[in-house]
Amino acid sequence: MNQFKLLTLIILTCLSISPSQAHADNALVAVASNFTLTMKKLVTQFHEETPHTLRVSFASSGKFYAQIKNGAPFDLFLSADQLIPTKLLSEGYAVPNTQATYAIGKLALWSSDPNKVDPMGNILKSKTFNKLALANPKLAPYGFAAIETLEKLNLMESTKPLWIQGENIGQTYQFVRTGNADIGFVALSQIQNHQELSTGSMWEVPNDLYSPIKQDLIVLKHGENNAAVQAFLNYLALPKTQKLIQSYGYHTEFN
């Protein structure tokens, strides 16, 4: 049994949903911006295959953290990191033993121009781009990974005057897509579909240039006995779902 399935079984045991509660239910899910395209596809399929309904909001993980602490009635949180779910658990906002890694993100340097970014990322060393977009490293793990990459390449000082920061990775992607920035650090999942680059040009940043972007989910107190949450966690553990997540540019722990 793979690790994600094992964790899911632990989660379902902890949620202790009785058969009488296994009717169609609704759940409000907070999802990190980088997972937008993947989650939309997952939700479409989930709605087709189960009687449950998910209502999904997308934003930076840091923004969701603040909203949950202020009473936002989310049932499930899919974060872009491990730290925020851990904090929510320690502060009493989440259900114990329900934290699990659902995806491991990958960072890419991207341009909407198909001839702009070379396969080795050497454009970062040049003066041939107007702006470099990256997500706010204080709010978004992909932004922090971008900073780590620039530091390891010794390009912090030379590129910093050209930075344009997005509140989250979704806004960062928009900066590059609209041409407000020639290039930008985005999530590979935002520009890849079925393992093919959707548009533009990119450099997939080597894994050794940044810390692993392990993205954890956690069940929040509001969703402790929610049948839709239970069903979606079970759905995430299916091999076909894991393969779909991988096709959008993530690594998973499914083997």
Side-chain angles (χ1 to χ4, degrees):
M1 180 177 294
N2 65 70
Q3 184 180 4
F4 191 93
K5 281 188 175 180
L6 178 60
L7 286 169
T8 303
L9 288 175
I10 293 172
I11 289 171
L12 298 185
T13 300
C14 292
L15 292 177
S16 301
I17 297 178
S18 68
S20 64
Q21 293 174 295
H23 57 275
D25 209 344
N26 300 287
L28 183 59
V29 186
V31 180
S33 298
N34 72 87
F35 205 63
T36 298
L37 293 178
T38 314
M39 187 66 177
K40 285 181 177 179
K41 183 65 174 180
L42 290 175
V43 169
T44 297
Q45 294 187 356
F46 180 74
H47 286 168
E48 291 173 350
E49 298 176 26
T50 77
H52 305 287
T53 300
L54 301 180
R55 291 178 294 134
V56 184
S57 293
F58 300 99
S60 70
S61 297
K63 189 171 183 178
F64 279 132
Y65 173 69
Q67 290 178 353
I68 292 165
K69 290 195 67 173
N70 286 323
F74 291 111
D75 299 299
L76 178 66
F77 177 35
L78 276 65
S79 180
D81 66 0
Q82 294 182 305
L83 177 62
I84 293 178
T86 300
K87 288 175 67 176
L88 288 169
L89 179 61
S90 68
E91 293 167 354
Y93 295 96
V95 180
N97 301 313
T98 64
Q99 184 172 347
T101 300
Y102 67 93
I104 301 171
K106 297 180 181 179
L107 186 68
L109 182 71
W110 176 66
S111 173
S112 57
D113 181 339
N115 300 309
K116 195 72 176 176
V117 178
D118 60 281
M120 300 302 293
N122 289 323
I123 187 174
L124 288 170
K125 301 174 184 177
S126 73
K127 301 294 183 180
T128 59
F129 59 93
N130 63 350
K131 294 290 182 183
L132 169 63
L134 64 158
N136 185 338
K138 295 181 180 179
L139 295 174
Y142 284 85
F144 184 77
I147 295 297
E148 287 185 308
T149 297
L150 292 171
E151 286 179 338
K152 287 195 176 179
L153 294 175
N154 296 314
L155 293 172
M156 284 282 288
E157 294 306 316
S158 62
T159 62
K160 197 167 186 177
L162 302 177
W163 291 1
I164 177 173
Q165 287 193 13
E167 178 182 302
N168 54 51
I169 200 67
Q171 187 179 52
T172 305
Y173 169 84
Q174 290 300 326
F175 285 154
V176 184
R177 188 187 70 82
T178 58
N180 287 312
D182 280 345
I183 60 175
F185 284 106
V186 300
L188 181 62
S189 59
Q190 294 174 297
I191 58 174
Q192 179 171 292
N193 189 353
H194 298 294
Q195 300 179 338
E196 295 289 338
L197 180 64
S198 299
T199 185
S201 53
M202 70 110 178
W203 170 52
E204 185 175 336
V205 180
N207 294 336
D208 59 359
L209 292 180
Y210 60 96
S211 303
I213 307 174
K214 289 195 172 187
Q215 303 189 191
D216 279 12
L217 60 78
I218 196 160
V219 179
L220 301 168
K221 288 289 188 179
H222 193 270
E224 186 168 7
N225 295 307
N226 188 299
V229 169
Q230 177 196 29
F232 185 65
L233 293 175
N234 200 37
Y235 187 78
L236 279 178
L238 295 175
K240 68 174 185 177
T241 308
Q242 295 279 292
K243 289 177 181 177
L244 187 148
I245 293 171
Q246 293 166 5
S247 76
Y248 276 87
Y250 294 96
H251 176 70
T252 71
E253 295 178 341
F254 171 76
N255 294 307

